[in-house]
């Protein structure tokens, strides 16, 4: 069977058609497609590590379950089938642990032998790549698919860099919030992540202050299951959110790529502003301190605590400042890319310039998921983008390597 062609842990100096770096939703989806076409591949990385270790219990997906399928070429391992075979029930919003259980089930069915060893370096020698692993092994491959987790791209504004780590973190640093029980925590940000972490911190026993530069934009209550035909014509259901623009991003997933970069940048900036789901509202209003339309003008350490001064002159003394300031794709932050390889990759504001097939300027080197956002659009911030990226990359690699013939 195809899935038996995954790398074995004792192999040394092995040659593969493709190495997939990362075992999150995008890495697993690409691997499932590659395996189905008989390619000899290796998948390296801890399965669902970001989701399992960097997202606390109690979180929910912003997306519906029907917009959160991982992708395999015959749609055998859908969320719907998982619900039929497992003890979980379809619901909205989807608990993070339900999604994790689904993704692990998908991995066991479609990509059964992920090697959870970390990749140390990826280099290109002549016409092939050399992948060195932290356990000392190294393997060779004709193609590399980079599917890194978001933790590499956490945006940490420079004005907070002087604070020591015991006073400052990014939300992605935390898989357990109970350490903040009885503490005063300032959460910086106004999007889904900031508001949900604020709710979870409050529920873990912290006193929470949310500082957002704009008013919190609350999304309308979800009505996807009860919208009339007329409403669906005006704004069809889509994986990101209802609306024709979101529908086009999902069902014409490569159209966005064709626009000039400045147009794409403007679209991403103007149409996907930070927002919070309506189901968080009752967990926030009256429960945490909201400082909307405020900036932090100064923050310093004093007496082992953070002294925060807001733009209106008010002050907060906090035990911790948590940055929920989002993510910025910058491949220079990927430690496994060897400097010699990084120099060969053409970029724009840190993001790789990609072909219509997700291939970088280095032949055989592909980037999927959030890294492809600036080239392919907002769809690839979400799991729903797996169904567009995985078959596209697979077709390109099939042509490039001539494998599977």
């Amino acid at each position: 069977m195809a899935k038996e062609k995954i790398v074995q842990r004792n192999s040394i100096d092995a040659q593969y058609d493709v190495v997939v770096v990362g075992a999150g939703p995008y890495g697993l989806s690409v691997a499932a497609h590659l395996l189905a076409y008989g390619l000899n591949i290796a998948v390296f990385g801890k399965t669902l590590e970001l989701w399992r270790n960097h997202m606390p219990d109690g979180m929910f997906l912003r997306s519906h379950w029907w917009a959160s399928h991982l992708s395999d070429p015959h749609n055998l391992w859908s969320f719907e089938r998982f619900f039929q075979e497992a003890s979980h029930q379809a619901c909205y919003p989807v608990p993070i642990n339900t999604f994790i259980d689904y993704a692990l089930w998908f991995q066991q069915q479609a990509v059964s032998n992920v090697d959870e060893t970390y990749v140390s370096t990826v280099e290109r020698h002549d016409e092939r790549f050399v992948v060195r692993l932290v356990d000392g092994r190294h393997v060779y491959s004709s193609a590399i698919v980079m599917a890194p987790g978001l933790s590499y791209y956490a945006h940490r504004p420079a004005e907070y860099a002087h604070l020591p780590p015991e006073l400052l973190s990014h939300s992605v640093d935390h898989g357990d919030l109970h350490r903040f029980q009885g503490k005063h925590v300032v959460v910086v940000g106004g999007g889904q992540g900031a508001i949900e972490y604020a709710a979870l911190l409050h529920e873990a026993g912290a006193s929470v202050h949310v500082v957002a530069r704009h008013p919190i934009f609350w999304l309308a209550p979800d009505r996807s299951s009860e919208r009339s035909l007329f409403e669906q014509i005006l704004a069809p259901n889509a994986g990101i959110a209802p609306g024709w623009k979101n529908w086009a991003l999902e069902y014409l997933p490569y159209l966005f790529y064709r626009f000039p970069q400045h147009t794409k940048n403007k679209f991403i900036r103007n149409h996907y502003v930070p927002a919070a789901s309506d189901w968080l509202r009752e967990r926030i209003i009256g429960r945490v301190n909201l400082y909307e339309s405020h900036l932090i003008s100064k923050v310093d350490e004093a007496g082992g605590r953070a002294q925060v001064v807001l733009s209106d002159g008010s002050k907060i003394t906090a035990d911790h400042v948590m940055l929920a300031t989002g993510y910025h794709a910058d491949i220079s932050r990927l430690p496994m890319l060897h400097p010699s390889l990084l120099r060969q990759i053409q970029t724009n504001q840190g993001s790789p310039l990609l072909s219509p097939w997700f291939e970088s300027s280095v032949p055989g080197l592909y980037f999927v998921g959030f890294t492809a956002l600036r080239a392919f659009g907002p769809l690839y911030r979400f799991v729903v983008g797996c169904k567009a990226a995985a078959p596209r990359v697979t077709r390109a690699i099939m042509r490039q390597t001539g494998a599977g013939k």
Side-chain angles (χ1 to χ4, degrees):
M1 295 177 63
K3 60 181 67 176
E4 294 176 352
K5 293 188 177 182
I6 291 275
V7 63
Q8 300 299 314
R9 295 187 65 84
N10 294 325
S11 60
I12 304 293
D13 296 343
Q15 171 70 43
Y16 296 93
D17 297 321
V18 191
V19 165
V20 179
V21 180
Y26 278 86
L28 293 176
S29 294
V30 172
H33 281 258
L34 293 168
L35 284 169
Y37 285 95
L39 275 76
N40 184 24
I41 80 167
V43 182
F44 295 111
K46 298 199 180 295
T47 308
L48 274 293
E49 180 180 26
L50 175 73
W51 299 79
R52 298 168 75 180
N53 298 332
H54 296 271
M55 296 185 184
D57 287 345
M59 287 193 74
F60 291 88
L61 269 64
R62 179 170 156 179
S63 302
H64 284 270
W65 68 265
W66 45 260
S68 303
H69 301 288
L70 276 66
S71 180
D72 68 275
H74 304 296
N75 298 318
L76 295 176
W77 315 117
S78 66
F79 222 144
E80 184 175 20
R81 182 170 178 181
F82 170 74
F83 285 133
Q84 294 170 355
E85 297 188 5
S87 59
H88 295 282
Q89 298 294 320
C91 60
Y92 178 81
V94 179
I96 189 73
N97 288 333
T98 297
F99 176 78
I100 291 171
D101 287 348
Y102 159 63
L104 291 174
W105 173 83
F106 177 97
Q107 179 260 311
Q108 291 162 6
Q109 309 302 321
V111 193
S112 62
N113 198 9
V114 172
D115 186 323
E116 296 206 336
T117 310
Y118 287 121
V119 170
S120 174
T121 59
V122 179
E123 295 182 68
R124 183 172 172 83
H125 288 178
D126 300 322
E127 298 300 317
R128 64 178 181 173
F129 296 92
V130 181
V131 178
R132 292 181 171 83
L133 306 173
V134 295
D135 62 6
R137 289 179 293 151
H138 54 277
V139 301
Y140 301 94
S141 179
S142 302
I144 301 287
V145 178
M146 296 295 302
L150 277 176
S151 57
Y152 294 108
Y153 296 145
H155 177 51
R156 305 172 193 264
E159 56 265 34
Y160 299 95
H162 63 286
L163 290 178
E166 59 267 22
L167 293 183
L168 179 73
S169 64
H170 192 280
S171 58
V172 79
D173 298 331
H174 302 287
D176 184 353
L177 299 179
H178 289 94
R179 58 168 283 204
F180 296 107
Q181 183 177 6
K183 305 292 186 181
H184 288 262
V185 182
V186 171
V187 177
V188 182
Q192 176 78 9
I195 300 306
E196 188 163 17
Y197 268 85
L200 291 167
L201 283 163
H202 166 74
E203 291 157 8
S207 176
V208 185
H209 310 262
V210 176
V211 181
R213 64 175 60 204
H214 301 294
I216 305 301
F217 177 54
W218 295 99
L219 297 171
D222 179 72
R223 298 180 56 253
S224 59
S225 61
E226 56 189 55
R227 299 173 71 229
S228 68
L229 177 61
F230 181 69
E231 289 176 308
Q232 293 187 52
I233 291 173
L234 291 178
N237 286 332
I240 297 177
W244 281 106
K245 290 179 180 178
N246 292 327
W247 184 94
L249 287 170
E250 182 174 351
Y251 293 98
L252 301 170
Y254 316 119
L255 178 63
F256 186 90
Y257 177 86
R258 297 178 177 272
F259 291 97
Q261 189 62 56
H262 66 87
T263 302
K264 293 190 280 190
N265 292 344
K266 183 178 179 181
F267 182 88
I268 294 171
R269 184 172 60 250
N270 293 341
H271 292 274
Y272 291 90
V273 298
S277 298
D278 178 76
W279 45 262
L280 283 167
R281 192 191 298 262
E282 66 180 18
R283 297 168 60 190
I284 289 293
I285 303 300
R287 300 175 185 272
V288 308
N289 302 290
L290 289 177
Y291 300 86
E292 301 179 66
S293 301
H294 283 69
L295 297 174
I296 293 179
S297 59
K298 185 180 180 182
V299 58
D300 286 308
E301 178 187 6
R305 304 184 78 191
Q307 305 298 323
V308 180
V309 181
L310 304 184
S311 49
D312 66 355
S314 57
K315 299 179 181 179
I316 305 170
T317 299
D319 299 293
H320 197 83
V321 176
M322 184 179 293
L323 302 174
T325 44
Y327 303 87
H328 175 73
D330 181 351
I331 61 170
S332 67
R333 299 180 187 175
L334 300 178
M336 72 288 294
L337 295 180
H338 192 273
S340 63
L341 181 58
L342 268 175
R343 288 193 293 269
Q344 299 176 54
I345 305 171
Q346 297 178 19
T347 61
N348 181 282
Q349 298 183 28
S351 294
L353 296 178
L354 301 177
S355 77
W357 302 92
F358 294 86
E359 188 176 24
S360 72
S361 57
V362 176
L365 180 62
Y366 299 81
F367 289 87
V368 294
F370 186 82
T371 315
L373 170 68
R374 284 172 54 80
F376 285 90
L379 185 71
Y380 302 91
R381 292 174 55 195
F382 301 91
V383 175
V384 69
C386 290
K387 67 180 181 180
R392 188 82 159 182
V393 170
T394 298
R395 289 195 296 271
I397 291 175
M398 293 286 288
R399 289 197 304 268
Q400 173 205 338
T401 64
K405 293 182 178 179

